[in-house]
Amino acid sequence: MRNVIVTNPPRADLTAVDKLAEHGVATVHEAMGRTGYLGPGLRPTHLGSRIGGTAVTVVCWPGDNMMIHAAVEQCQAGDILVVTTTSPNTDGAFGELLATSLQTRGVRGLVTTGGVRDVAELHEMGFPVWSAAVSAQGTVKATAGAVNVPVTIGGQLVRPGDAILADDDGVVVVPRQDVNRALEGSQARVDKEAAARAAFSSGELGLDRYGLRAKLAELGVEYVSAEECEA
């Protein structure tokens, strides 16, 4: 890995990202062909937040948060900090002080494959975090890494400037050039789900709406009475 800090990468249009975030992670993930989800290992430290922003990526060495400090300078309003390590590590590399520094610059939240601490303080200050762990274990500031380089999380490529969406369902990345397409697909899915919701509220079954009775028959599923099962 090259030790580098890339300055001022192109970012997705923040107005479009904000509109996309309104649809939520699950809807956008489905609308993009079930891609971009960073996996179930990244969970919110507190429920109830829904954010969208542009990625500033960080690569740290395990147990070392120096590059997070270096990344703060590269952040601007509307960004979300996305942190990973060169090998798995759950030390608490991020806490209240770094959050204060980021929040002052208008950063909307943190996504990290590592650990965080000062969870109560983060909640009190309204700084949302999605992490792989909560850990009081501290870190050092001794090893070079990288800022604003492509990283891979949960099998998904995250480039600096890509759209990051996060809510109670997890985190999804949308490539910068695909944000408008994701918006169109998400709205279409929202409209489709609204129609299904109305149908289910009126008593229609998913078996009928989605044509699943024929699929069950095709798969050899039979309806039998309880009496026949006991015979």
Side-chain angles (χ1 to χ4, degrees):
M1 179 190 70
R2 184 182 177 190
N3 297 329
V4 63
I5 297 174
V6 178
T7 62
N8 198 31
R11 288 165 164 85
D13 178 73
L14 198 55
T15 300
V17 173
D18 287 342
K19 292 179 181 177
L20 193 59
E22 294 175 3
H23 293 301
V25 166
T27 295
V28 174
H29 167 63
E30 293 282 357
M32 291 295 291
R34 298 181 181 176
T35 62
Y37 177 50
L38 302 191
L42 299 181
R43 301 301 306 145
T45 56
H46 295 90
L47 297 176
S49 295
R50 172 173 287 181
I51 63 171
T54 46
V56 170
T57 61
V58 186
V59 181
C60 294
W61 279 76
D64 193 309
N65 71 354
M66 185 167 70
M67 298 312 294
I68 300 179
H69 286 274
V72 174
E73 184 180 25
Q74 304 307 316
C75 291
Q76 62 186 39
D79 284 338
I80 294 175
L81 200 65
V82 179
V83 180
T84 190
T85 50
T86 56
S87 61
N89 182 259
T90 58
D91 292 347
F94 185 94
E96 174 196 4
L97 295 180
L98 274 167
T100 299
S101 189
L102 288 173
Q103 197 171 58
T104 299
R105 301 180 75 87
V107 174
R108 295 178 172 179
L110 169 76
V111 173
T112 177
T113 62
V116 299
R117 58 184 185 176
D118 303 334
V119 171
E121 290 79 5
L122 292 173
H123 183 52
E124 182 178 357
M125 64 191 293
F127 190 83
V129 169
W130 286 257
S131 69
V134 172
S135 174
Q137 176 65 46
T139 57
V140 300
K141 301 168 181 62
T143 315
V147 175
N148 279 330
V149 298
V151 299
T152 301
I153 298 176
Q156 304 297 317
L157 183 63
V158 181
R159 301 178 181 86
D162 282 349
I164 299 292
L165 314 173
D167 60 23
D168 289 352
D169 291 332
V171 185
V172 68
V173 58
V174 177
R176 178 170 57 89
Q177 67 274 16
D178 292 337
V179 169
N180 288 332
R181 179 169 67 88
L183 263 174
E184 294 175 1
S186 296
Q187 186 60 56
R189 184 168 182 84
V190 166
D191 294 342
K192 181 180 178 181
E193 289 184 348
R197 188 177 301 108
F200 294 155
S201 295
S202 68
E204 185 177 358
L205 296 176
L207 283 173
D208 299 313
R209 185 167 186 82
Y210 302 135
L212 298 179
R213 295 189 189 279
K215 185 66 174 180
L216 288 173
E218 179 185 330
L219 293 172
V221 177
E222 301 178 1
Y223 287 84
V224 297
S225 69
E227 291 80 5
E228 289 177 288
C229 288
E230 293 174 356

